[in-house]
Amino acid sequence: MSLVTVRIPACDLAFEHAFEVVPNLRFEMIQSVAADRSVSMAYVRVWGAPREEIEAAFDGDPTVDDFEAVSQRAESWLYEIDWDSPRLFVLREIIFQRDGQIISACGEDDEWVLRLLVLDRDDISKVVDDTTDHDFSVDVARITKMDSQTASPGELTEEQYETLLKAVEKGYFEIPRRTTMEELAEEFGISHQALSERLRRGHRMLIESALEGQTLNFD
């Protein structure tokens, strides 16, 4: 089993116009991003602009047929989107046909970053080939093998990688932070202390890996 991170330009998927008119927008598809075909990819959380600017961008975006604001949390809005983007559903079907699952889909800086869970490593190349056949521009940014819960020296465990990646995606390391440790812990269904320990161990592993073989001179 592998966790695959891919990058796809917005022009190949959705919200190209929205990114153009409001470059600071950040999107995350939630709830509906799943392997179950009966679940629509309908809910999107949006950061980066006032509600009026967000909705004006949606009004002019050809991939959005209709939308409705569902709730607000801090500086983000949750929208239910009625898509007019056939390519979005083509991509989802390609992934499903290769027994893959979409773990997350986040949009920023005129591109989408998707994390896919793929059972067979050979299916990764098949997904890429299928998307290329449908004229998608897909860049495989990272492949993480998930056959073991333990890490080799210098490597993150699956849990550490997942936790750090989610923290980055949610803006935990940004200034000011866009999420709290309590909110991250709730997403993983673990305690605040357990999350803190994962982050601490992950940080240590990254720092040790970065410093390995380097000579430090404090003179």
Side-chain angles (χ1 to χ4, degrees), residues 3-175:
L3 183 68
V4 186
T5 302
V6 300
R7 299 180 181 275
I8 302 175
C11 60
D12 276 2
L13 206 56
F15 286 154
E16 179 183 15
H17 172 80
F19 280 121
E20 288 178 354
V21 297
V22 189
N24 292 328
L25 286 183
R26 300 188 301 273
F27 301 99
E28 180 186 6
M29 293 186 186
I30 64 172
Q31 295 181 350
S32 55
V33 181
D36 187 348
R37 282 180 169 81
S38 67
V39 179
S40 173
M41 301 172 73
Y43 292 94
V44 178
R45 187 166 292 281
V46 188
W47 296 263
R51 178 177 177 178
E52 295 76 13
E53 291 186 30
I54 294 171
E55 296 186 356
F58 285 172
D59 279 329
D61 197 301
T63 60
V64 177
D65 185 47
D66 198 9
F67 61 88
E68 180 180 357
V70 177
S71 65
Q72 182 182 17
R73 185 179 70 189
E75 297 180 356
S76 69
W77 287 91
L78 179 65
Y79 284 90
E80 183 175 8
I81 304 289
D82 183 7
W83 295 105
D84 187 12
S85 174
R87 291 179 65 76
L88 181 64
F89 299 104
V90 168
L91 178 66
R92 187 181 65 168
E93 192 64 21
I94 288 172
I95 295 167
F96 286 154
Q97 287 177 352
R98 297 301 180 184
D99 295 324
Q101 298 182 27
I102 302 174
I103 303 302
S104 69
C106 300
E108 188 172 7
D109 296 332
D110 202 32
E111 73 171 6
W112 286 92
V113 178
L114 277 66
R115 291 191 305 142
L116 315 177
L117 192 64
V118 181
L119 296 178
D120 190 334
R121 192 178 180 92
D122 291 340
D123 284 333
I124 298 173
S125 60
K126 294 176 182 177
V127 167
V128 173
D129 289 343
D130 290 347
T131 55
T132 300
D133 289 342
H134 286 82
D135 297 323
F136 286 95
S137 297
V138 175
D139 175 31
V140 178
R142 181 165 187 163
I143 300 174
T144 304
K145 192 174 182 180
M146 300 175 62
D147 292 338
S148 174
Q149 293 292 330
T150 59
S152 301
E155 295 181 353
L156 295 172
T157 66
E158 174 191 339
E159 287 185 345
Q160 291 166 0
Y161 174 76
E162 286 284 317
T163 303
L164 288 170
L165 186 60
K166 178 61 71 173
V168 170
E169 290 176 348
K170 293 292 186 179
Y172 178 76
F173 298 111
E174 294 183 13
I175 302 176

Side-chain angles (χ1 to χ4, degrees), residues 171-186:
Y172 178 76
F173 298 111
E174 294 183 13
I175 302 176
R177 286 177 173 167
R178 292 193 282 113
T179 191
T180 66
M181 190 172 289
E182 288 77 10
E183 290 173 333
L184 285 173
E186 184 178 350

